């Protein structure tokens, strides 16, 4: 049975690239009837950020990429579920020590007492000589007595992997095929740091083996380290899992996606009002392609369509305009009550509406929702769009718009429009539409000469949402007030 994992570090907000990695693991596990687990890799304590675990679990829960096993959050409580725990690496230190001792006893790892200053000197001299900087093996051949003497003297140490010389290490990657590296081009990787914590390279191999991981799906930045991981599996006499390294997500400049070019975290996008299902749909297509041209997928459809063999080798550019298009599609498909629920926090924060409106004007809010449905790509845009409608200073400054208001036909249009709105009891979208049709029939004003001046008189703009929807949202009193303010320009 397939068992795979998402194993991030608790170092801040969840990057969209990390969510894509989690998503691909999740889709593959679900497609094959396997298990998807979440493990926390927190062995680098210097990078730990308070709140990162909550942020991680919230992001996964909101996007529907929910682990079957490992670290989970239920009803606001963080817990660990499964038979292979602990699932937090800092709680597994005794386990790592046990296997580390095996490596040292078998001569596959060794103590290194080199100071930071010496290591820097070695690297500097290697760079000057045009060599690839790596550890020079100074402590590889210390005798057991020398090692014990230094330990007894309290000299700080690390433990390094003892790679054989001039051996080709190879493995098959599910995306790139056979990968080979010579050990002469690799470093004797640190396995245990001076603080007593293992490095990623030791912990990931031990954890993946003990947790029965069959497939490792992770970012391509780990590709150069994988031969050393494969060698560790050999040292322990374990079967290595299958490896699938995902292409990077790129900025427009084809460099790895970074904050320098805008939002990159899941939280950034959700805070702006991108729908989780749209973000998931978009990320699924960054690095993987279905067999046909389908672009809009539910999670269940993604599970059915997902195929590891269709993951691309080359990086995928994060196209924000494509994400916006996709999110707009999802917004258009929302039931009105869900659309309004998503809108409300943005409108309240901007002061466009208040809490009393939320409680007492549900029908009116649904009208606003319909007004915006086809005009926003994400919900944070709603306040800007509505600012064109809910104006404090209602003035017309555009010269072309003013020319429409000065037309002789506009004077007649203005008079009859005011009369008909004053005479109506309730001005909603259907009544607004009827009024415009009546004017067209009675006054023989039609087309651009009817709708453009009417829009300008009511909104101050030449373009915008459906005019009758605007009339519905603003209501009779506000529209009459605006028309009255237009009279000096038209008269």
């Amino acid at each position: 049975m397939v068992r795979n994992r998402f194993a991030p570090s608790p170092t801040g907000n969840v990057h969209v690239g990390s969510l894509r990695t989690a998503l691909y693991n999740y889709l593959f596990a679900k497609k094959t009837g396997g298990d998807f687990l979440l493990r926390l890799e927190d062995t680098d304590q210097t990078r730990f950020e308070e709140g990162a675990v909550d942020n991680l679990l919230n992001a996964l829960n909101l996007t529907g990429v929910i682990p079957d096993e490992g670290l989970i959050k239920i009803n606001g409580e963080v817990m660990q579920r499964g038979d292979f725990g602990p699932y937090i690496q800092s709680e597994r230190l005794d386990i790592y020590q046990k296997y580390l001792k095996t490596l040292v006893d078998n001569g596959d790892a060794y103590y290194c007492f080199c100071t930071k200053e010496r290591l820097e000197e070695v690297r500097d001299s290697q760079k000057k000589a045009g060599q690839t900087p790596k550890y020079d093996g100074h402590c590889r051949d210390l005798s057991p007595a020398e090692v014990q003497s230094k330990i007894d003297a309290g000299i700080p140490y690390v433990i390094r992997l003892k790679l054989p010389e001039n051996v080709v290490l190879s493995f098959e990657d599910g995306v790139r095929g056979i990968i080979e590296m010579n050990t002469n081009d690799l470093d004797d990787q640190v396995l245990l740091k001076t603080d007593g914590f293992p490095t990623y390279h030791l912990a990931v191999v031990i954890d993946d083996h003990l947790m029965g991981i069959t497939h490792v799906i992770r970012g391509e930045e780990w590709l150069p380290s994988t031969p050393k991981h494969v060698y560790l599996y050999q040292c322990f006499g374990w079967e290595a899992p299958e490896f699938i390294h995902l292409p990077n997500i790129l900025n427009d400049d084809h460099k790895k996606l970074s904050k320098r070019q805008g939002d990159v975290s899941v939280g950034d996008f959700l805070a702006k009002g991108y729908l989780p299902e749209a973000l998931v749909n978009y990320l699924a297509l960054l690095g993987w392609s279905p067999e046909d041209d389908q672009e809009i997928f539910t999670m269940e459809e993604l599970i059915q369509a997902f195929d590891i063999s269709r993951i691309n080798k080359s990086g995928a550019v994060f196209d924000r305009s494509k994400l916006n298009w996709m999110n707009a599609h999802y917004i258009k498909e929302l039931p009105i009550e869900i659309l309004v629920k998503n809108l409300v926090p943005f409108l309240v924060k901007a002061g466009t509406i208040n809490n009393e409106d939320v409680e007492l004007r549900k029908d009116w809010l649904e009208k606003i929702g319909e007004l915006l449905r086809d005009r926003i790509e994400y919900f944070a845009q709603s306040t800007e769009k509505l600012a064109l409608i809910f104006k404090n200073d209602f003035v017309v400054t555009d010269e072309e718009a003013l020319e429409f208001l000065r037309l002789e036909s506009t004077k007649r249009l203005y008079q009859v429009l005011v009369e008909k709105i004053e005479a109506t009891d309730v001005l909603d979208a259907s009544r607004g539409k009827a009024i415009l049709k009546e004017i067209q029939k009675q006054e023989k004003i039609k087309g651009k000469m009817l709708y453009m001046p009417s829009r300008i008189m009511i909104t101050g703009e030449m373009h915008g949402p459906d005019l009758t929807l605007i009339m519905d949202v603003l209501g009779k009193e506000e529209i009459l007030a605006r028309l009255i303010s237009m009279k000096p320009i038209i008269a």
Side-chain angles (χ1 to χ4, degrees):
M1 184 180 77
V2 166
R3 281 177 60 82
N4 59 22
R5 83 304 193 269
F6 176 49
S9 299
T11 55
N13 293 330
V14 182
H15 191 281
V16 289
S18 297
L19 178 59
R20 187 195 62 171
T21 299
L23 174 63
Y24 283 12
N25 275 281
Y26 174 85
L27 294 176
F28 184 59
K30 296 304 165 189
K31 175 70 176 285
T32 57
D35 291 329
F36 165 61
L37 65 89
L38 175 64
R39 185 174 71 225
L40 197 67
E41 301 197 339
D42 64 340
T43 57
D44 188 347
Q45 294 287 291
T46 62
R47 299 179 63 211
F48 181 86
E49 287 191 24
E50 197 66 39
V53 175
D54 259 350
N55 179 282
L56 166 66
L57 293 171
N58 289 341
L60 294 179
N61 283 350
L62 284 169
T63 54
V65 186
I66 301 173
D68 302 297
E69 183 183 321
L71 205 60
I72 60 172
K73 189 174 186 179
I74 299 178
N75 298 324
E77 183 180 353
V78 177
M79 60 183 70
Q80 297 183 50
R81 177 174 67 192
D83 299 328
F84 297 89
Y87 295 90
I88 300 174
Q89 286 188 334
S90 59
E91 299 176 6
R92 298 172 62 83
L93 299 186
D94 289 346
I95 297 172
Y96 305 134
Q97 288 291 346
K98 170 188 170 184
Y99 288 98
L100 196 59
K101 184 178 184 303
T102 299
L103 290 175
V104 173
D105 290 347
N106 292 343
D108 295 317
Y110 61 94
Y111 288 84
C112 173
F113 299 90
C114 293
T115 63
K116 181 180 178 182
E117 291 73 22
R118 182 186 182 278
L119 293 174
E120 289 175 351
E121 288 175 6
V122 169
R123 290 193 184 96
D124 288 343
S125 64
Q126 289 172 333
K127 287 180 182 178
K128 289 176 183 177
Q131 301 170 344
T132 302
K134 65 176 186 176
Y135 183 61
D136 63 353
H138 180 73
C139 295
R140 276 176 69 107
D141 298 317
L142 291 176
S143 68
E146 289 175 305
V147 168
Q148 192 59 52
S149 174
K150 290 179 181 293
I151 292 175
D152 292 342
I155 299 175
Y157 63 85
V158 298
I159 294 180
R160 292 180 179 272
L161 177 63
K162 193 172 188 176
L163 286 171
E165 294 183 8
N166 197 28
V167 171
V168 175
L169 300 176
S170 67
F171 68 96
E172 184 172 4
D173 182 76
V175 174
R176 292 164 179 79
I178 300 296
I179 304 291
E180 294 183 340
M181 287 189 186
N182 193 294
T183 53
N184 288 351
D185 299 322
L186 300 173
D187 204 3
D188 279 359
Q189 184 71 53
V190 172
L191 301 179
L192 184 76
K193 297 174 290 184
T194 55
D195 62 3
F197 278 80
T199 61
Y200 169 84
H201 307 282
L202 176 70
V204 71
V205 168
I206 294 172
D207 289 347
D208 282 346
H209 173 72
L210 296 182
M211 294 181 184
I213 300 303
T214 61
H215 294 75
V216 171
I217 304 174
R218 60 188 176 190
E220 68 177 11
E221 64 269 21
W222 295 113
L223 196 59
S225 301
T226 306
K228 288 180 277 192
H229 300 170
V230 169
Y231 181 68
L232 273 171
Y233 278 101
Q234 293 174 5
C235 290
F236 287 121
W238 298 337
E239 181 180 352
E242 294 185 36
F243 294 99
I244 299 99
H245 288 89
L246 307 177
N248 283 328
I249 298 178
L250 308 175
N251 283 318
D252 292 336
D253 59 5
H254 289 259
K255 294 180 180 178
K256 192 173 179 181
L257 186 66
S258 70
K259 292 181 180 179
R260 290 189 302 274
Q261 294 197 9
D263 301 325
V264 296
S265 79
V266 176
D268 289 335
F269 287 102
L270 296 183
K272 283 191 171 182
Y274 287 85
L275 293 165
E277 53 269 37
L279 186 60
V280 163
N281 191 160
Y282 179 69
L283 289 176
L285 300 175
L286 277 184
W288 167 80
S289 58
E291 290 186 0
D292 54 25
D293 295 329
Q294 183 176 347
E295 291 188 295
I296 303 300
F297 288 85
T298 64
M299 184 69 89
E300 187 56 41
E301 287 171 335
L302 282 173
I303 291 169
Q304 295 305 316
F306 190 71
D307 184 345
I308 286 289
S309 69
R310 297 189 64 83
I311 293 176
N312 303 324
K313 293 181 182 179
S314 56
V317 173
F318 193 94
D319 184 348
R320 284 170 169 77
S321 62
K322 183 63 176 289
L323 171 61
N324 288 348
W325 168 83
M326 187 169 285
N327 199 65
H329 171 86
Y330 275 84
I331 288 175
K332 290 173 185 175
E333 298 296 314
L334 287 177
I336 186 60
E337 63 273 11
I338 303 299
L339 193 154
V340 170
K341 183 179 178 181
N342 280 278
L343 273 176
V344 161
F346 294 95
L347 301 184
V348 170
K349 184 178 180 180
T352 306
I353 63 173
N354 55 42
N355 290 323
E356 186 175 325
D357 292 329
V358 177
E359 292 298 321
L360 302 178
R361 306 182 69 186
K362 296 186 186 302
D363 290 344
W364 179 68
L365 286 174
E366 288 186 359
K367 293 175 183 179
I368 290 178
E370 294 297 351
L371 188 71
L372 292 172
R373 182 188 290 279
D374 295 329
R375 300 191 61 78
I376 57 174
E377 295 173 320
Y378 51 93
F379 287 103
Q381 292 178 331
S382 59
T383 54
E384 176 190 346
K385 298 295 184 183
L386 286 180
L388 298 175
I389 300 169
F390 296 104
K391 295 183 176 183
N392 293 323
D393 299 321
F394 188 72
V395 293
V396 180
T397 57
D398 183 81
E399 187 56 39
E400 186 180 357
L402 288 170
E403 288 179 9
F404 271 104
L405 297 184
R406 295 179 187 126
L407 293 172
E408 194 63 34
S409 60
T410 300
K411 294 180 182 179
R412 299 196 335 265
L413 169 61
Y414 173 81
Q415 189 62 41
V416 70
L417 186 60
V418 170
E419 290 174 359
K420 287 185 176 294
I421 291 176
E422 284 179 334
T424 194
D425 292 329
V426 177
L427 182 60
D428 55 18
S430 60
R431 180 57 189 145
K433 186 176 182 179
I435 287 174
L436 292 172
K437 283 189 174 181
E438 290 168 9
I439 294 173
Q440 178 179 332
K441 185 176 181 181
Q442 294 170 15
E443 303 297 326
K444 309 302 181 188
I445 304 172
K446 56 185 178 180
K448 196 173 185 179
M449 295 300 102
L450 170 63
Y451 289 99
M452 190 64 76
S454 297
R455 177 180 294 280
I456 296 167
M457 287 188 285
I458 290 172
T459 70
E461 305 288 339
M462 294 181 63
H463 306 284
D466 184 278
L467 181 58
T468 59
L469 280 177
I470 293 175
M471 295 167 76
D472 199 343
V473 168
L474 291 177
K476 176 180 175 179
E477 292 182 7
E478 174 63 20
I479 289 177
L480 281 175
R482 290 185 176 195
L483 288 172
I484 291 169
S485 72
M486 289 287 103
K487 190 171 184 180
I489 300 175
I490 297 166

